[in-house]
Amino acid sequence: MWASAMHRCGLLTSSKVPVPLKSISVDILVRGFVADVVSELQYQNEEKSPVEATFVFPLDDEAAVYAFEGLIGGTRIEAQIREKKQAEQEYEDALSEGRQAFLLEREENTSDVFTCSLGNLPPGGEATLKLRYVQALSVEPDGAVRFVLPAVLNPRYVPAAGSEGGTVSQRVPRMPTGALPYTLSLTARVESPYGINRMESKCSLDPLQYMTEDHTAAQVSLAKGHQFDRDVELLIYYEDVHKTSAILEAGKSGAAPGSLMGDPALLLTLYPNIPTVKPGQSVAGEFIFLLDRSGSMDITMDNQNSSPSRIQSAKETLIFLLKSLPLGCYFNIYGFGSTFDSLYPQSVEYTQETMNTSIQRVKELKSDLGGTEILRPLKAIYSQPCLEGRPRQLFVFTDGEVSNTNEAIAEVRLHSSSHR
């Protein structure tokens, strides 16, 4: 999701040998529903000759990079926007002349994985990469504003038609969790004009410090020695998340007036508290479950033999949800991989009989459908007309990503007015 080079996404030499990551420092400024993130990563070339390294990082669909710079052997290089062919030519010219340079580009067919080729890192030389990006934050059902710093670049399934050469995520070597040679330092500052109630995380945090008496600014840090072997998730609870807020961003110093970065910008945030049930709609709506049955779902949850497989964990959750549905609703269950199927040709009414039958069939499901093709089952679900007066909700159970992310997002967005 972000600009990190972790144990599953990092800096590689042209021979695919990892360049040791020495330290990671992340500073986050959260203002309302927007996070401004600065990630600084330090590497050292322990080879006996200069190397061309590749820095790989995932970026959330709601994030945008606005600055990237590198410090190599005392030389500071700042990224500038160029046409693709011109950028590639300038990079190749710099390499041939023995100069330090880097090339930042998006992985083909995706919008959320970026690579940076960094050339001529001298023997014993250190490289410091600093990336800045802004990201829109989502809100949880309980009103928490959620920020996530992922530790890994998730593997992607690539359909056969687009599998030539593989993706960046397939080429990045995996490093065992226990072998991580570094820790993460992270500090988050949060600002809200209506006050900050609290902050929570599954990771160990130092005590929350309020920077103002009215609790409109607060700061928190990860506890010292955090091993970056799992995602860092921060849940921020404002005093009133539904109040309208505005943020004024000054123009960048030195930028030309009238340019994108030169002029100030105003961000107005509206997050109204809208009832989930509309007039004339039944609380007992339509529930559709889409279960990933690709081969990777057969892997255990934490790669330990004593843990349940992903498919088993998903099935247990699905059965729990089936037992919790309201009487009188309608439901259906789809399974997908390289192909897809469904328990029923169309959604059926939820009764004691259909619940028992469905639970038994779910228990028999296996991860035997091949790859991870989510677009086709999505289209099949959307081709089914919505039931009058019954809001449709779609639940997805999956462990990975796909290469045609943009197409899947576009398909969901196309039907966003008719389902949740």
Side-chain angles (χ1 to χ4, degrees), residues 96-418:
S96 62
E97 296 171 7
R99 294 184 286 115
Q100 282 122 14
F102 61 72
L103 177 66
L104 181 68
E105 57 186 342
R106 189 186 78 180
E107 181 181 357
E108 190 174 357
N109 298 325
T110 73
S111 63
D112 58 348
V113 176
F114 284 73
T115 63
C116 173
S117 299
L118 187 148
N120 290 329
L121 182 60
E126 293 187 352
T128 299
L129 302 181
K130 181 179 291 187
L131 180 125
R132 302 171 185 266
Y133 67 94
V134 290
Q135 175 184 339
L137 304 181
S138 61
V139 182
E140 297 295 286
D142 64 350
V145 176
R146 180 174 180 263
F147 172 83
V148 177
L149 190 69
V152 302
L153 173 61
N154 290 321
R156 293 164 178 266
Y157 169 72
V158 183
S163 60
E164 296 181 6
T167 64
V168 168
S169 58
Q170 290 174 313
R171 299 193 295 270
V172 175
R174 268 44 176 167
M175 181 181 292
T177 299
L180 300 184
Y182 53 82
T183 56
L184 165 72
S185 63
L186 179 146
T187 299
R189 180 183 173 93
V190 182
E191 298 178 358
S192 171
Y194 305 115
I196 300 154
N197 185 292
R198 66 188 189 279
M199 293 178 63
E200 297 179 358
S201 176
K202 293 181 180 179
C203 302
S204 297
L205 301 175
D206 289 337
L208 180 69
Q209 296 181 340
Y210 287 105
M211 316 302 291
T212 57
E213 292 184 0
D214 58 1
H215 290 190
T216 56
Q219 181 172 299
V220 71
S221 300
L222 279 179
K224 189 175 181 181
H226 175 80
Q227 187 74 28
F228 200 11
D229 54 358
R230 60 191 181 278
D231 293 352
V232 175
E233 178 186 65
L234 296 177
L235 297 176
I236 305 165
Y237 293 86
Y238 295 132
E239 290 294 349
D240 192 340
V241 73
H242 295 291
K243 281 190 175 180
T244 302
S245 63
I247 298 174
L248 179 64
E249 185 72 23
K252 183 179 180 181
S253 177
S259 65
L260 177 63
M261 300 297 289
D263 288 344
L266 179 68
L267 174 64
L268 179 65
T269 301
L270 302 173
Y271 184 60
N273 188 9
I274 301 175
T276 56
V277 179
K278 299 179 181 179
Q281 286 187 332
S282 170
V283 176
E286 181 187 18
F287 300 86
I288 296 178
F289 303 95
L290 184 55
L291 176 64
D292 187 346
R293 290 171 53 195
S294 62
S296 64
M297 290 289 285
D298 201 37
I299 301 173
T300 56
M301 292 294 292
D302 57 3
N303 296 322
Q304 301 293 328
N305 293 333
S306 59
S307 300
S309 66
R310 298 171 182 176
I311 187 69
Q312 184 61 34
S313 178
K315 285 161 57 176
E316 290 175 358
T317 304
L318 179 52
I319 290 173
F320 173 79
L321 292 176
L322 284 174
K323 292 180 177 180
S324 305
L325 293 179
L327 287 173
C329 74
Y330 282 73
F331 74 101
N332 202 353
I333 300 170
Y334 285 75
F336 73 96
S338 298
T339 60
F340 70 92
D341 56 26
S342 61
L343 262 60
Y344 307 101
Q346 58 189 23
S347 295
V348 297
E349 185 176 359
Y350 182 74
T351 64
Q352 187 69 43
E353 181 180 355
T354 56
M355 182 194 72
N356 291 338
T357 300
S358 300
I359 289 176
Q360 186 57 42
R361 294 178 67 179
V362 167
K363 290 179 179 179
E364 298 169 357
L365 296 178
K366 298 179 180 179
S367 51
D368 55 1
L369 293 185
T372 311
E373 297 268 18
I374 196 172
L375 185 59
R376 290 170 59 199
L378 282 176
K379 289 186 174 181
I381 291 170
Y382 295 140
S383 68
Q384 298 278 351
C386 293
L387 302 176
E388 184 67 28
R390 296 183 181 274
R392 173 179 289 176
Q393 297 191 57
L394 172 60
F395 298 82
V396 181
F397 297 78
T398 182
D399 70 338
E401 299 184 29
V402 294
S403 65
N404 54 347
T405 306
N406 290 343
E407 294 178 58
I409 292 174
E411 185 69 20
V412 173
R413 182 177 290 123
L414 182 65
H415 300 274
S416 60
S417 61
S418 61

